Amino acid sequence: MRQLFSLILLIFTIFSSAQKEFHVFPIDGSQIKGSPNGDGSINNPWDLQTALSQSSKRVNGGDIIWLHKGIYNGNYQSAINSTVNEKYITVSAYKDHEVIINGNVANKESYVLQISGDRVIFKNFEITYLGDFSRKKSDKNFKAVTGINHVEGVDCKFQNLVVHNIPGSGIGSWKATGGTIIEDCIIYNNGYQGDRGHGVGIYVQNESEKTRQIHNNIIFNNYYKGVEIWSASSGTNREFVKNVSFIDNVVFNNGSPSGKHWANLIVASGDANGVNVAKNIKVKDNVFYHNTDFNDFKNFGYGNSITLGYTSNALVENISILGNIIIGRNNALNLMHIKSAELRNNIVYSGYVHFDKSSLNALETKNIISNNNTFYTRKGYGFRILKHTDYNLSMWQNTFNIDKDSDWKQLKHFEIQPVLKIQKLSSSPHEFNVTLLEKNGNDVTSDFSNYKIKKGSSFKIYDLENRNVVVKSGELSENNKIILPMSLKAFEKPLHNTVATKSERNFGVYRIVFEDNTKKQNIFKRLFGWLF
């Protein structure tokens, strides 16, 4: 009897802790409609706001909320919260359904999706504005909006989302959201025009000791900067621009829709009191690019790809710039207000490498460590401390005892392997981001031998600047190589914008989607093998 009771208790425990699945449909769905009176079943589904309002008694860690195909019109608040350590609630598009959350509705909310709640994964859907709306601050009907406004909730994940055409910033993930991961997302064409371009791809802060991770995202053509690891606040007497890992991202042409190149990445703080300084930030293995004519050896104009520091009152600390490709105009690498930093194994193409005089003390006291970099600049005296001195590489090495194993060349001698990066999506292992730079715009061959893709797998290639169109398809050959087309002209411009331009023919970012054909063949043989 005791053994039977133990068995019943075990079965009850297994079933009570089993993953639960819930279903959501648009309220104006063509067949099945979501409803606040639903129970979340496939036959009686919730609408989106009802699903995102569930208590942890109903939806908790390990459960999945499936979003079914359609356009979800509205501004939504997510309060779902996992109370189970190391278990997440997942909110995802169902299978390969196309799910679009459209924030262009008549209300006063300043977000499309606002989030507060711990341990929630949002993945595989789109956040955008559809139809007609203003992108000029001076218009009477203008409304500034953030795509994803992550105000509270730790250890959340944003995976494989597409955030675009928001009249404001794409993602804001603020100081009380420690441990959050943003990865595999495409964030582009966000922002609006005021006195200058406004709206960044990602604005991120962090007051937690947990490291914030921003990995393998494609961020481009936003009206203002690409990514701000930053706070404009002063006098808060708190530290919340710290502990961020920024790795394997591709960030390019930000500012293009406003007609001016802005920083692809800034790591800084505007705290005049010097308390809330940016610190413990790792920037590793990224590609930063502004439209560049590699036959123009003057390379004038503002085209910043990385800026460190904003004010001498808040010198950045313990910043690592490692293994990046940094391409831009006159000030591609802007090392302005630094207390301590490390720069290694970077390739830099810039008119000058800029430092502010406020960084001079860090150079003299060996708190800026720099080595094994390759610098391409317009002139031989390519290291400039503003309003102080220009240095050639030899003077630079001897004065500050850094960059002993670094190399310097003039812009006209710039050379680089055309395959800059092949990066598998962690959230979808059969998909890859591929970043290419070929100075003359010639097609590029990419080798996938190291990625264990089955021979004969089919593939589709998308140019992420025109992401809904297949530019090439085929099957992976025996040599595992694929030729990718450069010099593509088709371009998805920001809605209601005539200023933005596509990348130069020398640069391209692609998504390649593979599919294992042997699975299809095996299913076919099982079903129809008797025919052969």
Side-chain angles (χ1 to χ4, degrees):
M1 185 69 181
R2 183 177 298 173
Q3 290 178 332
L4 177 61
F5 177 78
S6 298
L7 179 60
I8 293 172
L9 181 61
L10 176 62
I11 293 172
F12 175 79
T13 301
I14 292 172
F15 277 94
S16 63
S17 62
Q19 177 189 81
K20 294 179 288 185
E21 298 186 7
F22 302 96
H23 297 268
V24 177
F25 282 77
I27 59 174
D28 53 355
S30 57
Q31 295 179 344
I32 301 176
K33 300 181 187 298
S35 168
N37 300 316
D39 59 13
S41 66
I42 187 67
N43 295 317
N44 192 17
W46 287 321
D47 65 275
L48 181 53
Q49 187 55 67
T50 300
L52 297 177
S53 302
Q54 296 298 311
S55 73
S56 55
K57 293 181 180 179
R58 185 70 184 276
V59 179
N60 211 328
D63 295 342
I64 300 177
I65 297 175
W66 292 116
L67 309 184
H68 288 259
K69 181 179 180 181
I71 297 174
Y72 294 77
N73 297 304
N75 306 114
Y76 299 94
Q77 295 187 45
S78 175
I80 51 178
N81 179 66
S82 171
T83 62
V84 184
N85 285 335
E86 300 184 5
K87 283 196 174 183
Y88 292 83
I89 299 169
T90 299
V91 180
S92 174
Y94 182 70
K95 296 184 177 179
D96 59 351
H97 285 203
E98 183 179 9
V99 172
I100 299 172
I101 300 179
N102 167 39
N104 189 11
V105 296
N107 62 37
K108 296 182 179 180
E109 303 296 353
S110 59
Y111 54 82
V112 179
L113 176 61
Q114 182 159 286
I115 295 163
S116 58
D118 300 338
R119 289 176 289 277
V120 184
I121 299 172
F122 298 89
K123 63 189 296 186
N124 301 335
F125 57 85
E126 189 173 327
I127 301 276
T128 191
Y129 250 49
L130 299 175
D132 188 36
F133 59 94
S134 171
R135 300 194 94 144
K136 293 183 178 180
K137 189 177 180 180
S138 58
D139 289 348
K140 290 183 178 180
N141 63 337
F142 172 77
K143 180 175 70 172
V145 171
T146 298
I148 296 175
N149 193 33
H150 186 199
V151 293
E152 291 181 308
V154 301
D155 298 334
C156 291
K157 297 182 182 181
F158 301 92
Q159 297 178 322
N160 201 27
L161 300 176
V162 179
V163 185
H164 67 109
N165 279 310
I166 304 297
S169 293
I171 298 177
S173 193
W174 307 108
K175 52 182 173 285
T177 59
T180 290
I181 298 172
I182 303 172
E183 62 183 355
D184 300 342
C185 296
I186 305 172
I187 305 165
Y188 69 105
N189 288 0
N190 300 297
Y192 62 91
Q193 191 67 42
D195 55 328
R196 55 166 172 77
H198 293 262
V200 302
I202 301 176
Y203 194 135
V204 65
Q205 299 173 342
N206 184 26
E207 66 179 352
S208 170
E209 295 308 312
K210 294 182 178 180
T211 299
R212 171 71 59 89
Q213 300 178 53
I214 306 172
H215 295 173
N216 194 33
N217 302 285
I218 311 297
I219 305 160
F220 64 97
N221 268 7
N222 298 288
Y223 273 66
Y224 190 40
K225 296 173 182 175
V227 178
E228 291 190 304
I229 303 173
W230 152 265
S231 171
S233 301
S234 187
T236 60
N237 294 319
R238 298 164 62 192
E239 294 183 344
F240 51 86
V241 187
K242 63 181 183 179
N243 304 333
V244 178
S245 169
F246 191 84
I247 297 177
D248 286 325
N249 303 281
V250 182
V251 193
F252 63 99
N253 288 345
N254 289 287
S256 174
S258 65
K260 178 181 178 180
H261 295 285
W262 288 103
N264 283 317
L265 170 68
I266 183 170
V267 178
S269 166
D271 186 3
N273 296 331
V275 176
N276 184 28
V277 301
K279 61 174 57 175
N280 303 334
I281 315 291
K282 178 183 286 188
V283 180
K284 184 174 184 290
D285 294 338
N286 305 281
V287 175
F288 302 96
Y289 172 90
H290 277 300
N291 273 347
T292 299
D293 180 356
F294 292 104
N295 294 312
D296 179 4
F297 306 134
K298 294 182 179 180
N299 199 37
F300 288 121
Y302 186 89
N304 174 250
S305 272
I306 295 181
T307 287
L308 300 185
Y310 178 76
T311 172
S312 59
N313 292 328
L315 302 175
V316 301
E317 299 180 26
N318 191 26
I319 311 298
S320 298
I321 309 293
L322 309 173
N324 302 281
I325 297 169
I326 304 164
I327 295 174
R329 303 283 179 96
N330 190 48
N331 55 342
L333 184 56
N334 224 23
L335 304 170
M336 301 303 288
H337 305 288
I338 300 173
K339 183 176 181 180
S340 58
E342 180 182 10
L343 296 93
R344 294 187 188 274
N345 304 313
N346 302 288
I347 297 173
V348 180
Y349 182 100
S350 179
Y352 291 87
V353 177
H354 279 159
F355 289 78
D356 190 87
K357 284 180 69 175
S358 65
S359 297
L360 189 56
N361 183 65
L363 287 165
E364 292 174 339
T365 58
K366 310 299 185 290
N367 284 320
I368 293 179
I369 300 168
S370 185
N371 207 7
N372 295 109
N373 303 294
T374 302
F375 299 101
Y376 296 88
T377 64
R378 184 165 67 244
K379 295 183 178 181
Y381 289 75
F383 302 87
R384 171 169 288 180
I385 299 178
L386 297 170
K387 299 180 181 179
H388 180 64
T389 306
D390 290 355
Y391 303 81
N392 63 26
L393 180 60
S394 177
M395 294 168 58
W396 184 251
Q397 292 168 331
N398 293 331
T399 301
F400 300 111
N401 195 31
I402 58 175
D403 283 308
K404 291 298 184 182
D405 297 311
S406 294
D407 194 14
W408 170 86
K409 298 178 183 179
Q410 285 189 306
L411 296 180
K412 63 183 178 181
H413 298 302
F414 176 72
E415 295 293 339
I416 197 167
Q417 290 297 317
V419 181
L420 303 184
K421 180 175 287 292
I422 299 176
Q423 191 69 33
K424 181 188 295 186
L425 273 64
S426 62
S427 58
S428 183
H430 61 288
E431 299 187 35
F432 293 78
N433 292 330
V434 180
T435 306
L436 308 176
L437 193 157
E438 208 289 326
K439 289 171 55 176
N440 300 308
N442 298 318
D443 292 352
V444 175
T445 299
S446 297
D447 190 341
F448 288 85
S449 299
N450 295 328
Y451 298 96
K452 298 180 180 180
I453 303 167
K454 289 188 177 181
K455 305 294 191 298
S457 292
S458 62
F459 64 82
K460 293 180 180 178
I461 302 175
Y462 300 83
D463 175 3
L464 290 185
E465 293 183 77
N466 193 39
R467 66 179 181 84
N468 291 312
V469 177
V470 177
V471 297
K472 185 176 181 179
S473 60
E475 292 187 356
L476 188 65
S477 63
E478 288 292 325
N479 66 9
N480 290 294
K481 294 180 179 179
I482 297 175
I483 299 175
L484 285 90
M486 296 288 284
S487 301
L488 298 173
K489 296 180 179 180
F491 173 47
E492 182 189 338
K493 283 191 174 185
L495 286 178
H496 319 308
N497 179 284
T498 59
V499 177
T501 59
K502 193 182 190 306
S503 291
E504 293 279 351
R505 59 196 294 266
N506 54 51
F507 184 78
V509 185
Y510 304 84
R511 174 69 55 85
I512 302 184
V513 181
F514 290 96
E515 185 174 1
D516 184 359
N517 290 333
T518 59
K519 292 182 180 179
K520 289 183 177 180
Q521 293 167 359
N522 290 338
I523 293 172
F524 186 84
K525 287 180 179 179
R526 286 200 301 269
L527 293 175
F528 302 105
W530 55 274
L531 292 173
F532 300 92

